[in-house]
Amino acid sequence: MYMMSEIAILENNTLTALGLRLILEELLPATVIRVFSSFEALIDDTPDMYAHYFVSTQIYFEHSNFFLQRRPKTIVLAAGEQPSLSGVPTLNFCLPQEKLVKSIMQLRNYGHEMTHHPVTTSPMPQQEHDLSPREIEVLILITKGFINKEIADKLNISLTTVISHRKNITEKLGIKSVSGLAIYAVMHGYVEADRI
């Protein structure tokens, strides 16, 4: 039986923690994301059950022995300037949303190279969710920032058809945000990360 992977966010700043949780839930709808405001709260839970830890710089330094033993699973959350942490990836959470999403994608690739598992350890579904060729064309144009009317003009289809395709894409993938669709498109090779 497949066990759902879980990710722990250790961050005492509520807005940072909830914002990251929201982004990760959009990107990884099958993953359980748990938020802890302190290291002690994590320890009171089952700390070794998590596939990955997104941890604030302060908590990381206060409990570095714990996280160094779990280095392939640890991502340090940094505000602005990235601290120098030998071999531990960092995520600058002060970036605009589009750049933050790209950074998470790069971390996924880094995690894959370092551990032969994606940073999320949630196996990426290999099925293509049965998107039609036209839906893939619409998806690519969405990720490039085109609005419905522009997509209709580019593909020579009606606005209603574009809206219908968008609805089908959202239902098939379970992803509602443009940033989430962009990540899906990058992960499945429909667009390159630097093209969105």
Side-chain angles (χ1 to χ4, degrees):
M1 185 171 115
Y2 170 72
M3 290 183 60
M4 187 176 296
S5 67
E6 299 191 26
I7 292 175
I9 298 174
L10 286 89
E11 171 61 69
N12 57 12
N13 181 311
T14 304
L15 288 176
T16 302
L18 294 179
L20 179 59
R21 179 181 184 172
L22 184 65
I23 290 171
L24 291 173
E25 284 175 342
E26 282 185 11
L27 301 178
L28 309 163
T31 302
V32 174
I33 317 287
R34 299 197 195 283
V35 176
F36 301 94
S37 59
S38 69
F39 182 75
E40 291 71 27
L42 172 72
I43 295 303
D44 286 346
D45 191 52
T46 313
D48 283 317
M49 70 185 258
Y50 294 98
H52 288 283
Y53 309 90
F54 284 80
V55 57
S56 73
T57 306
Q58 179 184 350
I59 294 173
Y60 175 83
F61 283 120
E62 288 173 357
H63 304 281
S64 57
N65 285 340
F66 176 88
F67 294 107
L68 283 172
Q69 292 172 15
R70 294 155 183 84
R71 186 180 309 199
K73 298 178 163 191
T74 301
I75 296 128
V76 176
L77 301 171
E81 198 170 308
Q82 308 288 314
S84 177
L85 304 169
S86 56
V88 178
T90 59
L91 177 65
N92 178 359
F93 60 80
C94 292
L95 294 171
Q97 183 177 352
E98 290 174 7
K99 289 184 179 179
L100 182 60
V101 165
K102 285 182 184 179
S103 293
I104 292 171
M105 290 301 301
Q106 289 169 346
L107 281 174
R108 178 186 173 272
N109 293 336
Y110 168 84
H112 184 69
E113 290 166 10
M114 295 305 288
T115 64
H116 301 293
H117 298 287
V119 161
T120 62
T121 69
S122 164
M124 292 307 298
Q126 292 303 311
Q127 79 268 21
E128 297 301 317
H129 295 91
D130 299 320
L131 290 182
S132 71
R134 182 61 92 183
E135 288 168 344
I136 292 169
E137 287 178 312
V138 170
L139 173 65
I140 291 167
L141 293 174
I142 291 169
T143 63
K144 291 183 177 180
F146 290 96
I147 61 172
N148 290 346
K149 172 92 173 80
E150 294 170 327
I151 294 170
D153 292 343
K154 272 198 158 307
L155 298 178
N156 293 320
I157 56 178
S158 74
L159 184 58
T160 308
T161 303
V162 172
I163 292 168
S164 175
H165 284 313
R166 282 187 84 137
K167 181 176 173 269
N168 290 341
I169 292 166
T170 299
E171 286 176 359
K172 287 179 181 180
L173 303 182
I175 301 170
K176 294 181 179 154
S177 72
V178 172
S179 59
L181 291 173
I183 296 222
Y184 175 88
V186 169
M187 291 169 116
H188 288 80
Y190 298 132
V191 293
E192 294 178 24
D194 58 359
R195 297 281 174 102
I196 56 175

